[in-house]
């Protein structure tokens, strides 16, 4: 089983920063991404990495969020700076065994964590 456990969410004032973590087990060299879902909205892609190096970001977070991975710790990160109230959502970590490149599509990821809440006021 592939297991993904998110942490690092919380409440922060607008303009502040948070770093989300996704501890992964049961896989290696997977494509990974971060998604978020706000009340009344569909789950949307935020940031994603392929199996090697390339990354993709939603237009709404470019220049503010950075996705990274520590392979030695089997952990995916999302550094979120200059947070805005519209960033408030449940954030989910996702993984896929293969991808041609970084993807922001929900259907490309068969494995999901249970989410961590981010609230920006």
């Amino acid at each position: 089983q592939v297991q993904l456990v998110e942490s690092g969410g919380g409440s922060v004032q607008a303009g502040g920063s948070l770093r989300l973590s996704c501890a992964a087990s049961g896989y290696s060299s997977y494509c990974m991404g971060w998604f978020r879902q706000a009340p009344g909205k569909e789950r949307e892609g935020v940031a994603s990495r392929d199996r090697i190096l390339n990354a993709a970001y939603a237009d709404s977070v470019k220049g503010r969020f950075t996705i990274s991975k520590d392979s030695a710790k089997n952990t995916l990160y999302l550094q979120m700076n200059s947070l805005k109230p519209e960033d408030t959502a449940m954030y989910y970590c996702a993984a896929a065994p293969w991808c041609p490149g970084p993807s922001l599509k929900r259907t490309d990821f068969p494995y999901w964590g249970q989410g961590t809440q981010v609230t920006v006021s």
Side-chain angles (χ1 to χ4, degrees):
Q1 291 182 316
V2 174
Q3 297 184 47
L4 306 172
V5 181
E6 301 95 335
S7 63
S11 298
V12 65
Q13 294 181 349
S17 299
L18 286 172
R19 188 177 75 161
L20 305 183
S21 298
C22 173
S25 63
Y27 82 102
S28 63
S29 300
Y30 273 36
C31 305
M32 301 189 73
W34 288 97
F35 291 74
R36 67 186 182 186
Q37 187 167 22
K41 296 185 177 181
E42 296 183 357
R43 190 171 300 186
E44 62 178 354
V46 176
S48 180
R49 286 192 56 171
D50 63 12
R51 298 176 69 243
I52 307 299
L53 181 65
N54 297 319
Y57 297 91
D59 289 341
S60 60
V61 307
K62 286 182 178 178
R64 300 189 297 121
F65 291 10
T66 302
I67 187 171
S68 62
K69 181 166 61 179
D70 187 334
S71 297
K73 297 182 178 180
N74 295 321
T75 301
L76 182 75
Y77 301 99
L78 184 67
Q79 179 66 47
M80 306 186 295
N81 298 325
S82 301
L83 284 163
K84 304 175 181 179
E86 52 262 44
D87 295 319
T88 296
M90 184 73 74
Y91 283 72
Y92 299 89
C93 176
W98 185 256
C99 59
S103 174
L104 299 177
K105 297 175 61 177
R106 292 177 296 169
T107 54
D108 287 343
F109 295 89
Y111 305 110
W112 294 84
Q114 294 186 339
T116 184
Q117 178 68 39
V118 172
T119 302
V120 184
S121 61

